[in-house]
């Protein structure tokens, strides 16, 4: 397999590249990444050092038509997995434009270039957030109508619809995956779990939005990566597959788990002004992925959190490297408004 992965210097993309390298050492992997604030070349240092010709990094933008066209042709790419995205809901509230550019137009460019180059399959990595918000009961199915509530989720839903249209119109082989909240090594400390870990470590207040009772389903990143690999190898052209971790939890429970694992107490919890348009509850039904792909999450929340916290504890240099410059500017202004 000659595979182009986009956004491989981010959290899930990096974990995916490591997983593929371990499971398919004979594959050739290319990673196209723009290196935004969330992309970090250091995430792939060991892979770069070890893989030789089997792994190549390309610095560039998924919106760049000439670059993507050249890459696909020059390297005779068989398939593309598109992770590249602006991924943080709060940033999308602060400034939606980059989300539309990368998540909609970039994704469309990838599909278009892949179609023209005759690439056999594109896996487009999407999110459960495209479905909007649930009440106290029920789950998202692949057939649930899309009802995104944030600029981030709206941009992801836009790409999902383009993918659907490209499959229907051109017969292009595209598989869309929608997953719940990931956690694990290399997650950027703007997202709930690594952010709260950093705050707990520093003995600073942990900013919990609203009443802290919003529910997310949490999946350890390795399980999501395996799901995407299964979608790539076994998915039906035109299908959408939900993935989840079968671990629904209120945010406040997640925060308390982090406090417990870092030896801190609940006095650090601060309830702050809620995120506008904050989705109340997500829950995933992934029966289709179980039946058609053999997908099942294998890591419990307790196991995954223990591994995640241990990884952050073992990698303080990684954390200080990514917590600089533009990161600090955004964090300061966003949380000042919510205090
Ligand atoms: P991330 O923000 O950690 O990484 C995104 C990566 O994409 C970075 O390396 C960044 O440099 C790169 N990138 C951004 N814009 C680009 C562009 N225009 N061209 C090339 N590269 C670009 O994101 P993540 O959490 O790893 O998420 C990866 C994908 O998975 C996204 O599509 C996201 O919507 C989806 N997803 C994430 C989660 C989650 O919980 N994190 C859950 C479901 C789906
Ligand atoms: P996040 O990690 O941003 O993922 P998403 O919004 O994509 O689900 O947030 C997860 C949950 O944690 C979400 O309900 C918002 C909440 N949250 C806080 O309470 N405080 C914070 O500082 C952050 C970043 C998130």
């Amino acid at each position: 397999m000659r595979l182009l992965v986009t956004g491989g210097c981010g959290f899930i993309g990096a974990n995916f590249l490591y997983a593929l390298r371990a499971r398919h050492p004979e594959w050739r992997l290319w990673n196209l990444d723009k290196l935004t604030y969330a992309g970090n070349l250091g995430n792939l240092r060991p892979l770069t050092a070890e893989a030789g010709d089997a792994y190549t990094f390309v610095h560039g933008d998924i919106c760049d038509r000439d670059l993507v066209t050249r890459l696909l042709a020059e390297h005779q790419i068989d398939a593309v997995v598109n992770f590249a995205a602006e991924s943080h809901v709060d940033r999308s509230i602060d400034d939606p434009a980059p989300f539309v550019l990368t998540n909609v137009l970039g994704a469309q460019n990838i599909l278009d270039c892949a179609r023209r180059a005759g690439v056999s399959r594109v896996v487009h990595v999407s999110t459960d957030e495209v479905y909007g918000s649930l009440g106290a009961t029920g789950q998202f199915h692949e057939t649930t109508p899309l009802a995104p509530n944030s600029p981030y989720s709206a941009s992801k839903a836009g790409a999902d619809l383009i993918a659907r249209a490209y499959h229907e119109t051109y017969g292009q082989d595209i598989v869309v995956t929608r997953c719940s909240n990931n956690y694990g090594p290399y997650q950027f400390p703007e997202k709930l779990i690594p952010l709260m870990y950093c705050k707990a470590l520093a003995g600073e207040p942990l900013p919990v939005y609203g009443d802290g009772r919003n529910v997310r389903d949490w999946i350890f990143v390795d399980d999501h990566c395996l799901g995407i690999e299964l979608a790539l190898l076994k998915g039906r052209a035109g299908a959408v597959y939900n993935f989840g971790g079968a671990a629904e939890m209120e945010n406040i429970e997640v925060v308390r788990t982090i406090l417990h694992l870092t030896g801190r107490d609940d006095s650090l919890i601060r309830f702050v002004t809620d995120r506008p348009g904050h989705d109340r509850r997500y829950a995933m039904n992934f029966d289709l992925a179980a039946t058609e792909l053999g997908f099942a999450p294998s890591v419990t929340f307790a196991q995954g959190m223990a591994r995640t916290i241990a990884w952050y504890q073992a990698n303080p240099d990684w954390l200080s490297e990514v917590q600089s410059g533009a990161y600090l500017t955004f964090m300061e202004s966003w949380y000042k408004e919510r205090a």
Side-chain angles (χ1 to χ4, degrees):
M1 169 84 80
R2 301 171 70 82
L3 184 71
L4 174 65
V5 171
T6 70
C9 294
F11 161 48
I12 307 174
N15 280 283
F16 184 67
L17 285 166
Y18 281 114
L20 289 189
R21 179 74 189 139
R23 282 195 283 268
H24 305 282
E26 73 287 4
W27 286 14
R28 292 213 46 189
L29 307 169
W30 282 264
N31 169 19
L32 172 63
D33 198 297
K34 188 179 171 183
L35 296 178
T36 67
Y37 77 93
N40 184 355
L41 266 183
N43 290 357
L44 294 165
R45 221 170 269 138
L47 180 68
T48 311
E50 159 282 312
D53 284 351
Y55 168 72
T56 308
F57 171 68
V58 181
H59 185 199
D61 192 328
I62 59 165
C63 299
D64 184 336
R65 192 175 186 78
D66 293 344
L67 172 65
V68 175
T69 301
R70 186 159 43 78
L71 264 179
L72 297 177
E74 234 173 56
H75 304 300
Q76 297 170 307
I77 297 293
D78 298 312
V80 180
V81 179
N82 185 31
F83 289 96
E86 292 291 339
S87 68
H88 187 35
V89 172
D90 295 338
R91 283 180 188 261
S92 82
I93 294 167
D94 189 52
D95 183 11
F99 287 75
V100 176
L101 281 178
T102 287
N103 300 3
V104 184
L105 296 180
Q108 183 264 337
N109 188 50
I110 290 289
L111 293 174
D112 219 42
C113 295
R115 178 172 68 86
R116 290 173 199 278
V119 167
S120 305
R121 164 158 289 185
V122 178
V123 176
H124 177 73
V125 180
S126 187
T127 165
D128 60 352
E129 304 195 26
V130 297
Y131 297 120
S133 187
L134 289 166
T137 58
Q139 289 183 317
F140 297 133
H141 294 251
E142 288 82 356
T143 49
T144 301
L146 305 191
N149 292 315
S150 72
Y152 164 68
S153 53
S155 68
K156 295 297 291 185
D160 287 17
L161 294 178
I162 301 276
R164 178 192 151 85
Y166 270 47
H167 173 72
E168 293 298 324
T169 304
Y170 305 115
Q172 190 174 355
D173 186 325
I174 303 168
V175 179
V176 173
T177 63
R178 296 184 183 139
C179 190
S180 57
N181 285 59
N182 286 222
Y183 66 100
Y186 300 108
Q187 188 167 31
F188 198 74
E190 62 188 358
K191 307 284 165 54
L192 181 73
I193 288 175
L195 176 75
M196 296 298 170
Y197 168 77
C198 291
K199 298 281 183 198
L201 199 67
E204 290 172 8
L206 276 59
V208 176
Y209 297 160
D211 64 1
R213 303 200 59 190
N214 300 64
V215 173
R216 297 292 181 266
D217 169 60
W218 293 95
I219 182 169
F220 189 64
V221 64
D222 285 358
D223 282 333
H224 183 197
C225 290
L226 183 57
I228 294 168
E229 185 185 328
L230 291 169
L232 173 67
L233 294 175
K234 296 166 70 175
R236 229 178 342 102
V240 175
Y241 295 103
N242 282 353
F243 298 128
E248 279 174 51
M249 238 163 302
E250 291 185 348
N251 291 338
I252 194 70
E253 291 176 72
V254 175
V255 168
R256 288 206 174 101
T257 304
I258 294 165
L259 287 168
H260 176 71
L261 288 170
T262 51
R264 302 282 183 176
D265 66 54
D266 287 10
S267 63
L268 286 178
I269 294 172
R270 291 286 181 287
F271 292 96
V272 301
T273 309
D274 208 353
R275 169 189 281 173
H278 194 177
D279 288 333
R280 190 63 176 169
R281 177 171 164 266
Y282 301 148
M284 287 301 252
N285 180 293
F286 49 85
D287 289 351
L288 187 68
T291 310
E292 293 195 6
L293 307 177
F295 168 81
S298 65
V299 181
T300 65
F301 187 70
Q303 290 165 340
M305 280 301 283
R307 280 164 67 176
T308 302
I309 299 299
W311 186 87
Y312 281 101
Q313 284 169 338
N315 291 278
D317 293 348
W318 182 88
L319 267 181
S320 48
E321 202 180 306
V322 301
Q323 286 178 296
S324 60
Y327 170 83
L328 293 176
T329 319
F330 173 79
M331 298 304 272
E332 270 163 29
S333 76
W334 178 263
Y335 287 99
K336 193 148 85 189
E337 283 171 26
R338 333 212 83 66

